[in-house]
Amino acid sequence: MKAFSDALPSPFFGPAAIQPPSPAVRLQRPAPPPDEASLCASALAGDTAAWSSLVQRHNHRVVVSLLARGVRIHRAKDIAQEAWMRLVEQQRQGRLDRLQLPGLAVAQAGFLALEAMRRDANVRRHDPIDEPAVSSCLRDPHCDAESTMLTQERVSCAVEVLSGCSPSAKKVFRLAYGGDGLSHAEVAQRVGLSLQRVRQILCEVRAKLRTALEGEDER
Amino acid sequence: MSGHHATAAELEAYVLGALDEGRVDGFEAHCAECDECARALAGEARLEVAFETVARRPSRVPVPVTRPLRAAAYGAAGLVAMAAAVLLWFGHSPATAATTGDGTAAAAHHTMDDGAILDARNDALDGG
């Protein structure tokens, strides 16, 4: 973890990235937040601030994807951080043509998690001393790929359940989970509801879909 | 937080990114140590990933259902009805033509035939 933070050339994860604005800034009229496309374009051009914004916006999603693979929380945060570093590195080397987030970061983090698992499994004696064993998490029988794989039938059932929700609930759900990387605040802005209301709607829809998706796994 | 297990509401709020900032550190510290809560968190995270799959699936739009067999049956019935109508039309037309033109003899012949049948029946009733 420390090694990742030290290697970071810019304040993506440091305190500067999460500091509240100074009082002088607070008095100014707040500028509208830049949209995802312009942020990605700036990041591809090497803009550090754009990268920082994108990390703040999508990092939680990357961590959740690793948690879903059975990686423990602190390790998941480390891997997510490393994934972002790899992306920045690739951009600086000119190997990044386009930036589609959070999908690219999720894929990179998944690759790193598998890579760490293989490394840990095959050449245990070459592992760094301070490297926690990711494989112990990934090998967890409750988290293997087969048990996590959703059948098409359940997904179809969940889609049917979703189609029975109100139009506004469906819209909120699709905006939040549709892969555009919108935060809940942005979803609220788009549909003209409060952030609390959006989260309430999401919780209600999740509760309905949970039964359809969990199926017989609920023991 | 590290003393008690994570509740379902906390797990959901964390995955949604809606857990109070003051509780996040304690929540993460507990889930890092507690196997049970780590599993529950992984399950909640899997659901979150699954929701993305659901959201990307196109919703079901009610499409008019076409039943080919039923449509074919209706078509066949229509054709049969048309054929019957044509047959009836052409079946009646000679009779009408006969009554209008030189078919009077034929009409009279039919009348005579009917009369002969009636006579035969009457004879039979009389016992002859």
Side-chain angles (χ1 to χ4, degrees):
Chain A
M1 173 73 181
K2 192 167 183 186
F4 298 148
S5 305
D6 292 345
L8 277 176
S10 55
F12 294 135
F13 306 98
I18 53 173
Q19 268 180 356
S22 65
V25 174
R26 233 178 261 160
L27 291 173
Q28 292 171 359
R29 186 177 182 145
D35 64 304
E36 181 80 8
S38 61
L39 272 178
C40 287
S42 302
L44 279 175
D47 186 354
T48 307
W51 272 112
S52 185
S53 297
L54 288 171
V55 169
Q56 284 187 24
R57 182 180 284 206
H58 298 296
N59 189 54
H60 183 71
R61 170 68 190 82
V62 180
V63 171
V64 168
S65 75
L66 290 167
L67 291 173
R69 287 172 173 265
V71 180
R72 284 295 182 98
I73 180 74
H74 291 318
R75 188 72 184 115
K77 291 173 91 171
D78 287 350
I79 293 175
Q81 197 166 331
E82 191 181 349
W84 287 111
M85 285 173 52
R86 293 272 181 105
L87 288 182
V88 172
E89 202 176 319
Q90 287 171 24
Q91 178 268 319
R92 288 187 176 164
Q93 291 172 355
R95 291 190 295 165
L96 215 57
D97 294 333
R98 63 194 181 101
L99 202 53
Q100 194 169 6
L101 295 173
L104 190 59
V106 167
Q108 180 72 63
F111 170 75
L112 287 175
L114 289 173
E115 191 183 52
M117 180 194 70
R118 277 197 293 268
R119 193 171 59 236
D120 186 54
N122 294 334
V123 278
R124 195 175 285 271
R125 60 197 168 95
H126 291 300
D127 279 349
I129 292 169
D130 60 343
E131 179 94 1
V134 176
S135 64
S136 61
C137 304
L138 292 173
R139 284 173 188 160
D140 186 338
H142 293 272
C143 308
D144 65 320
E146 285 183 15
S147 65
T148 59
M149 191 175 289
L150 283 163
T151 60
Q152 293 297 315
E153 193 179 348
R154 283 186 199 168
V155 171
S156 301
C157 183
V159 169
E160 201 159 331
V161 170
L162 181 64
S163 67
C165 295
S166 69
S168 64
K170 275 187 279 192
K171 188 175 182 185
V172 166
F173 186 82
R174 289 194 187 283
L175 282 173
Y177 289 102
D180 295 332
L182 293 180
S183 67
H184 294 167
E186 287 168 325
V187 173
Q189 198 177 1
R190 286 205 187 181
V191 296
L193 296 171
S194 69
L195 177 60
Q196 290 301 319
R197 180 65 189 134
V198 163
R199 285 184 172 158
Q200 189 184 352
I201 289 171
L202 284 177
C203 286
E204 288 168 3
V205 177
R206 283 171 59 97
K208 287 180 182 174
L209 296 185
R210 184 186 294 271
T211 313
L213 286 171
E214 284 180 339
E216 301 97 35
D217 287 349
E218 195 71 24
R219 288 171 193 137
Chain B
M1 175 62 215
S2 58
H4 67 86
H5 292 301
T7 64
E10 284 172 334
L11 289 167
E12 185 172 38
Y14 180 81
V15 167
L16 282 172
L19 191 64
D20 291 340
E21 285 184 24
R23 294 159 65 191
V24 168
D25 288 342
F27 176 89
E28 290 180 348
H30 177 79
C31 288
E33 295 169 358
C34 176
D35 290 343
E36 190 180 335
C37 289
R39 271 197 295 272
L41 181 59
E44 197 68 29
R46 276 198 293 273
L47 266 182
E48 189 76 2
V49 173
F51 289 149
E52 291 173 7
T53 310
V54 172
R56 285 173 194 158
R57 279 280 190 92
S59 60
R60 281 191 180 181
V61 180
V63 178
V65 181
T66 54
R67 295 184 174 86
L69 280 176
R70 185 175 291 186
Y74 283 141
L79 285 174
V80 168
M82 284 175 65
V86 168
L87 282 174
L88 281 172
W89 175 260
F90 284 108
H92 276 286
S93 52
T96 49
T99 50
T100 51
D102 54 355
T104 46
H109 176 72
H110 280 297
T111 316
M112 285 176 67
D113 285 348
D114 290 343
I117 291 168
L118 281 173
D119 289 339
R121 280 186 180 173
N122 289 332
D123 291 340
L125 286 172
D126 292 341

